[in-house]
Amino acid sequence: MANNTEANKKGFSWPFWGMLSIYLLVVIFPFFWILITSFKQTGDIYGNNPFNIIPENPTLQHYADVIFEKGIFTAIWNSLVVSGVTTIYIVLVATFAAYAISRFDFRGKNILLGIVLAVSMFPQMIVIGPIYNLFIDLGWTNSYWITLPYSSITLPMAVWILVTHFNQIPLALEESARIDGASAFQTLYKIVFPLAAPGVFTVAIITFITAWNEFVLAITINSNSEYHTVPVAISFLRTQFEILWGQVAAATTLVTIPTLLIVLLFQRQIVNGLTQGGVKE
Amino acid sequence: MRKMGIREFLFIVPILLLIGIFSLWPVLQSFTYSFFDFQLNDRTKSGLYLNERFNVDLYNETSLYIDRFISQDMETISDEEDKESAQEVIDQLANLNEEFSNEEGVITISGEQKEQVESVYKNADETVQNLADEYELQQEENLPLLVDDIKNSMIESNFIGLQGYKRALQDHFVLDALWHTLVFTFASVSLELVLGLGMAVIMNQGIRGKGFIRTASLIPWAIPTAVAALMWSYLYDGSAGVVAEIFANIGILDRPTDLLQTGAGAMTAAILADVWKTTPYMAILLLAGLQNIPNSLYEASSIDGANKVQDFFKITLPLLKPSILVALLFRTLDAFRVFDLIYVLTGGGPGGSTETLSVYSYKVMFGQTNFGYGSVVVMIMFICVAIISTIYVKFLGTNIMDRN
């Protein structure tokens, strides 16, 4: 760690802890408030004391409403399917591509990398019109085919992280495997893949989160409520005429649980992925 | 490094297909859209039509009626010359009918055929005008309308070239959206950088509870933006929102309702929500950069008697510059194309005061089903994004791609 020694010498200081506490308070407070609201009676959310911290008459009614009336579990299921499928095929495609970029010599490699980088930069709005028309023509709206255009937001990041990762794996092992007569696919399967597993896993997590959070494609192409993903279903809780904050709070709490689990279990991989994709060498 | 053979080429076939079909083709297609007056809700414009087209069905029906009506009046037309010209119109219509007898629906036609249809129309128009002046026709009111339908069966090309761009540059909605986008981007990214850098420096001090701080920091980044936006729209709500209430109590706002119902309030609200969601992410990115700075540098500077502030400006900032620029590049691009947050939080309102380029182009495309003009706005965004990336890459000094 960089400059622990100095901090340890001086012990903790009040401004330091003060700022850290404020930071944590600001980050956590919205979740805390949503959690409280989800147990409040509708009357208490608006009524005379809307800012009470303790719900006066705690209720599970909002949870019942979003589960049985608004079918929030359908949305969670759709999101699981869509993000799961996206993760699986993106990881496969990106692994092969990144391996080729890292290990093979071919013409147009820099062009391919340049295109991958450019795709990660351009506004998502640019693909939405043509993709929508394509899906209308093919009759693919309101289906799980939506996972295919998800590649435009997930694939560049995945390839980028994996190329960096493969470049860090020494060539020697593969060369000896090749001398022993292994084919490119065999080398990839038996030698490289096990070594690259941590990086591949990181990519899987980041891809899953990105797909889980996608909004524009999902709301445009899968407009039928049967195929709503979580972000779309949540956004539809805000209707034009009334907003039932209790339901919003309950639904938000429910859909945050999967994200929370992923972050708790895989935070190390997430941080690795974020820093490899962006800042670090 | 081995040369790529056919078997090795298979490794990159899937990515080429995916990127080609779902990323590059749509970009080229959007670019094409932007040169057409392409509107899904208008039958004559619901496609990209470079050529004039001809509605054969409409023409066949029209010519049938014109033929019948003029024939009915042949008795009335006394002058031989008039009779002849009337017959000529009927013959010409029949000729055209013959020519398109194998076609149906809407077809593309050549320039020659277009001229032919035009001359038939012109002749029919003049003749019918003449006849109507001279004689008492049975269908005197309907005939001119029918003749107009000959012209209407010709559908003009909806290729408009650069006119969409010309319109966009004079469209105050586009200019306002560009301004809102710039304000949002500049304000949120600079706040995120300053706060994120501060938090990264604090987190970099060896402290306990690192795991907890990291988890807490990742959650705002990890939840869907649409969900975060709806969450904040509750906290900002004028009557039930606790944040709006706090702001009003400490005097930032006159009334809690001002937050989402005034233009400046709504923009501030959107920026703050973005700062909340992304500052922790920025802090984590910069923390990784900080941890790469060797401790020996700080030790050396403390021997030389430098203080912490000097350390920060003389060691930390210069060495962190690459990390900062890369983080800034990706954050600037993200903020510039902001959609989910604003679409869900304010919907672009009140009165369009938070409408960014993404939100406006989406509304034009899917609200007004005007894909042509919507694509023009998207292309303008694309150009801005290209400019932003070029500037950053210049600042980065080295090409980003050199890393691989």
Side-chain angles (χ1 to χ4, degrees), chain B residues 186-219:
Chain B
F186 182 76
S188 59
V189 173
S190 28
L191 275 173
E192 282 156 24
L193 175 67
V194 172
L195 295 175
L197 190 58
M199 283 324 297
V201 169
I202 288 178
M203 287 183 201
N204 196 32
Q205 317 288 320
I207 49 164
R208 264 184 250 150
K210 233 179 192 154
F212 176 70
I213 295 170
R214 190 161 66 177
T215 311
S217 302
L218 280 176
I219 294 172

Side-chain angles (χ1 to χ4, degrees), chain B residues 343-364:
Chain B
Y343 190 75
V344 176
L345 182 64
T346 66
S353 57
T354 52
E355 209 162 69
T356 58
L357 284 173
S358 284
V359 175
Y360 181 61
S361 65
Y362 189 82
K363 282 181 177 173
V364 172

Side-chain angles (χ1 to χ4, degrees), chain B residues 51-296:
Chain B
N51 293 315
E52 274 78 13
R53 284 159 313 132
F54 189 60
N55 187 339
V56 182
D57 295 346
L58 178 63
Y59 174 77
N60 284 343
E61 200 183 315
T62 310
S63 62
L64 185 78
Y65 279 106
I66 296 179
D67 186 323
R68 189 176 295 166
F69 290 163
I70 295 186
S71 305
Q72 278 174 2
D73 285 323
M74 271 308 192
E75 303 281 303
T76 333
I77 301 169
S78 45
D79 190 90
E80 270 308 310
E81 227 168 274
D82 287 342
K83 243 192 177 116
E84 253 170 49
S85 53
Q87 190 57 45
E88 198 192 333
V89 169
I90 292 176
D91 290 345
Q92 277 179 343
L93 287 173
N95 267 344
L96 261 187
N97 246 337
E98 190 73 16
E99 199 169 330
F100 295 111
S101 57
N102 292 328
E103 311 280 357
E104 57 181 287
V106 177
I107 58 165
T108 38
I109 52 172
S110 65
E112 236 170 83
Q113 287 170 314
K114 182 195 165 195
E115 272 167 31
Q116 199 185 343
V117 177
E118 262 168 3
S119 79
V120 169
Y121 161 72
K122 224 170 139 196
N123 190 21
D125 191 40
E126 272 169 21
T127 313
V128 167
Q129 202 89 39
N130 251 342
L131 294 177
D133 287 346
E134 305 260 326
Y135 309 98
E136 190 82 11
L137 301 180
Q138 291 178 39
Q139 300 285 348
E140 194 152 334
E141 277 173 17
N142 287 333
L143 254 177
L145 294 178
L146 273 169
V147 170
D148 278 346
D149 269 350
I150 301 178
K151 200 170 76 178
N152 289 342
S153 39
M154 293 257 308
I155 304 168
E156 293 283 314
S157 152
N158 61 349
F159 179 80
I160 52 163
L162 290 170
Q163 270 173 36
Y165 290 88
K166 202 173 143 197
R167 178 183 154 198
L169 293 178
Q170 293 161 347
D171 180 352
H172 72 94
F173 284 112
V174 173
L175 300 178
D176 285 353
L178 178 63
W179 174 243
H180 299 148
T181 311
L182 290 174
V183 169
F184 178 86
T185 306
F186 182 76
S188 59
V189 173
S190 28
L191 275 173
E192 282 156 24
L193 175 67
V194 172
L195 295 175
L197 190 58
M199 283 324 297
V201 169
I202 288 178
M203 287 183 201
N204 196 32
Q205 317 288 320
I207 49 164
R208 264 184 250 150
K210 233 179 192 154
F212 176 70
I213 295 170
R214 190 161 66 177
T215 311
S217 302
L218 280 176
I219 294 172
W221 166 81
I223 63 166
T225 312
V227 172
L230 200 64
M231 213 161 96
W232 279 99
S233 73
Y234 164 55
L235 299 172
Y236 286 152
D237 184 69
S239 55
V242 64
V243 171
E245 179 72 16
I246 292 171
F247 281 3
N249 278 343
I250 59 176
I252 301 176
L253 293 170
D254 289 340
R255 279 161 310 191
T257 45
D258 283 354
L259 192 51
L260 285 182
Q261 286 170 12
T262 60
M267 182 55 94
T268 313
I271 290 167
L272 288 183
D274 194 64
V275 168
W276 172 82
K277 194 172 189 315
T278 329
T279 301
Y281 164 79
M282 193 77 140
I284 283 175
L285 285 190
L286 295 178
L287 179 61
L290 279 180
Q291 287 171 349
N292 280 344
I293 300 176
N295 211 11
S296 53

Side-chain angles (χ1 to χ4, degrees), chain A residues 230-248:
Chain A
V230 163
V232 178
I234 291 276
S235 79
F236 270 92
L237 287 176
R238 189 196 173 112
T239 58
Q240 212 166 353
F241 304 106
E242 53 165 2
I243 309 173
L244 299 165
W245 292 125
Q247 291 189 8
V248 168

Side-chain angles (χ1 to χ4, degrees), chain A residues 182-251:
Chain A
S183 73
F185 279 106
Q186 276 174 328
T187 320
L188 186 67
Y189 249 130
K190 302 219 164 121
I191 313 280
V192 183
F193 215 83
L195 281 175
V200 172
F201 193 69
T202 296
V203 167
I205 303 282
I206 303 264
T207 305
F208 188 88
I209 294 177
T210 312
W212 180 277
N213 295 357
E214 204 288 333
F215 180 68
V216 190
L217 280 165
I219 199 174
T220 310
I221 291 172
N222 285 358
S223 49
N224 193 331
S225 69
E226 253 174 84
Y227 284 95
H228 278 177
T229 56
V230 163
V232 178
I234 291 276
S235 79
F236 270 92
L237 287 176
R238 189 196 173 112
T239 58
Q240 212 166 353
F241 304 106
E242 53 165 2
I243 309 173
L244 299 165
W245 292 125
Q247 291 189 8
V248 168

Side-chain angles (χ1 to χ4, degrees), chain A residues 87-98:
Chain A
T87 306
I88 291 168
Y89 87 80
I90 287 293
V91 164
L92 280 175
V93 171
T95 305
F96 281 108

